[in-house]
C-alpha cells in the first residue's frame, strides 16, 4: 500500500519529537500547563522547519452527540485529510467563561492528540494540584451545547 504525502509528512513531524513548553501557570491548582498559543506556535515552527506541506485548522460543529471542536490536518499537495472531533463537555451552558474554557481546552488537547504531541511533564488534568484522584468520567451533570 502506498502512503500518502499527508501520512509521510505527519510521520516526519512526529519523528521530530516536539516537546511542548509549559508556558502558563494555573494559580488555582498551583501548576503549569502549555497554552493553546504555545501548542499552535510549536506546530507551525516544526512544519516550517521541516518544510512540510501540512496545514491545519479547527472548526466547530454539532451532531447527534452534541457540540464539538474538529481538528483537521491536510496536505497542500493532496486531498487527504485527518479529522479529530473533541466533544465540548460543560457543567453550565449559561456560563460564557465555561464555554470559552471548554473550546480552548478542546482545541489545545485536540491539536496535541492529532499531531501526537505531549508537554514536558505528565498531564493529570490538574488533579495533582487539587488533591483529587483521576476520574475517567466527569462527576456531576454535564450539558452539551444544546443544554441536554
Amino acid at each position: 500500500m502506498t502512503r500518502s504525502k499527508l501520512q509521510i509528512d505527519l510521520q516526519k513531524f512526529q519523528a521530530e519529537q516536539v516537546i511542548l513548553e509549559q508556558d502558563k501557570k494555573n494559580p488555582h491548582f498551583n501548576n503549569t500547563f502549555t497554552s493553546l498559543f504555545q501548542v499552535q506556535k510549536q506546530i507551525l515552527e516544526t512544519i516550517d522547519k521541516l518544510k512540510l506541506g501540512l496545514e491545519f485548522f479547527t472548526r466547530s460543529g454539532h451532531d447527534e452527540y452534541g457540540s464539538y471542536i474538529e481538528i483537521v490536518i491536510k496536505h497542500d499537495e493532496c486531498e487527504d485529510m485527518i479529522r479529530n472531533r473533541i466533544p465540548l463537555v460543560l457543567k453550565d451552558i449559561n456560563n460564557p467563561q465555561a464555554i470559552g474554557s471548554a473550546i480552548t481546552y478542546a482545541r489545545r488537547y485536540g491539536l496535541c492528540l492529532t499531531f501526537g504531541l505531549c508537554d514536558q511533564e505528565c498531564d493529570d488534568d490538574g488533579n495533582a494540584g487539587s488533591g483529587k484522584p483521576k476520574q475517567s468520567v466527569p462527576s456531576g451533570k454535564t450539558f452539551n451545547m444544546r443544554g441536554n
Side-chain angles (χ1 to χ4, degrees):
M1 180 196 302
T2 305
R3 294 184 319 149
S4 73
K5 291 182 180 192
L6 174 60
Q7 292 170 316
I8 292 166
D9 276 5
L10 189 56
Q11 183 177 19
K12 288 177 187 175
F13 180 94
Q14 291 172 342
E16 192 69 12
Q17 297 183 352
V18 175
I19 303 294
L20 299 170
E21 290 179 35
Q22 294 179 337
D23 62 329
K24 294 288 182 181
K25 184 165 178 73
N26 182 338
H28 301 291
F29 295 110
N30 196 28
N31 66 349
T32 57
F33 65 96
T34 305
S35 67
L36 174 60
F37 172 80
Q38 186 68 14
V39 171
Q40 291 177 321
K41 179 178 179 257
Q42 289 192 246
I43 289 171
L44 291 170
E45 286 175 354
T46 305
I47 288 171
D48 187 53
K49 172 185 166 188
L50 298 175
K51 300 190 181 347
L52 303 177
L54 299 175
E55 302 172 14
F56 70 93
F57 59 93
T58 61
R59 60 183 173 199
S60 61
H62 193 84
D63 61 17
E64 68 272 17
Y65 302 109
S67 296
Y68 59 84
I69 295 294
E70 185 173 56
I71 308 298
V72 180
I73 303 176
K74 65 185 227 55
H75 197 281
D76 60 9
E77 294 181 22
C78 66
E79 295 182 22
D80 291 346
M81 290 185 179
I82 296 172
R83 293 186 173 109
N84 239 336
R85 287 187 176 177
I86 312 300
L88 293 178
V89 179
L90 301 168
K91 289 188 177 185
D92 182 0
I93 191 159
N94 297 313
N95 181 337
Q97 178 65 37
I99 294 169
S101 294
I103 291 169
T104 300
Y105 184 91
R107 288 177 65 202
R108 182 166 37 115
Y109 282 89
L111 284 168
C112 290
L113 173 69
T114 308
F115 277 93
L117 301 174
C118 63
D119 62 12
Q120 295 164 330
E121 298 181 19
C122 178
D123 184 352
D124 70 351
D125 201 29
N127 287 318
S130 67
K132 296 178 186 175
K134 272 185 131 173
Q135 293 181 337
S136 59
V137 177
S139 62
K141 188 173 181 182
T142 60
F143 299 89
N144 62 31
M145 293 298 281
R146 278 187 271 175
N148 50 353

